[in-house]
Amino acid sequence: MIIIENLQIEYNDIKLFDKISFEVHNCDRIGIVGKNGISKTEFDKDIREMSEEQKKKVLVAKSISEQANIYIWDEPLNYIDILTRLQIEEVLLNFKPTVIFVEHDETFIEKVATKIVCLENNVLKN
């Protein structure tokens, strides 16, 4: 189990999280919803010649193929086609890795998340 207490994250003077707390248990797949953003273009410096969809597929595949105790994904479905989305759902539901992910697709969250952490005004909403 991982206990996250009073997590506070800032990036370029933008407060992303302010004192949020929650627990992560083995096999939890935690979806984070709510405003949490930094422009993703700041992080896409590699594999520039691929389409956004191709980049996302490579990043998700690379992540899940590496053994880890916990995976942290930021909007794994951005630019993803429906077939790949279904494959990601299947992997998460069958493989059951411990994952914390930010995603805005409510159907995906409802299908794969075992717990939902909702942020409102940069704080945890009960």
Side-chain angles (χ1 to χ4, degrees):
M1 172 175 48
I2 297 172
I3 299 173
I4 298 167
E5 292 183 349
N6 296 317
L7 177 65
Q8 203 168 316
I9 298 177
E10 290 185 24
Y11 180 81
N12 286 343
D13 297 324
I14 300 170
K15 190 174 286 190
L16 300 178
F17 303 113
D18 189 21
K19 299 179 183 176
I20 65 169
S21 301
F22 57 95
E23 294 180 359
V24 181
H25 298 272
N26 193 34
C27 297
D28 271 353
R29 295 177 303 277
I30 298 174
I32 299 176
V33 297
K35 187 173 179 170
N36 55 62
I38 296 175
S39 172
K40 304 309 176 265
T41 58
E42 295 183 41
F43 301 104
D44 286 333
K45 303 294 184 205
D46 298 331
I47 55 179
R48 293 181 196 166
E49 296 183 21
M50 292 183 166
S51 71
E52 295 300 318
E53 179 181 6
Q54 291 168 324
K55 289 177 190 177
K56 186 60 83 168
K57 286 179 180 181
V58 168
L59 293 173
V60 170
K62 181 180 184 295
S63 173
I64 202 71
S65 69
E66 295 174 343
Q67 187 173 359
N69 292 321
I70 186 168
Y71 297 91
I72 301 175
W73 291 351
D74 185 18
E75 299 181 1
L77 299 185
N78 272 12
Y79 308 108
I80 294 293
D81 60 82
I82 189 68
L83 178 59
T84 304
R85 175 185 184 244
L86 294 172
Q87 290 171 332
I88 292 170
E89 285 179 9
E90 185 177 338
V91 166
L92 292 175
L93 293 172
N94 292 329
F95 177 53
K96 297 182 181 174
T98 303
V99 179
I100 297 175
F101 63 93
V102 174
E103 182 55 58
H104 301 286
D105 184 323
E106 292 179 18
T107 302
F108 179 81
I109 291 170
E110 289 173 10
K111 188 165 185 178
V112 302
T114 58
K115 185 184 299 182
I116 297 174
V117 174
C118 185
L119 302 174
E120 190 170 289
N121 297 321
N122 300 324
V123 296
L124 188 63
K125 180 181 171 185
N126 292 329

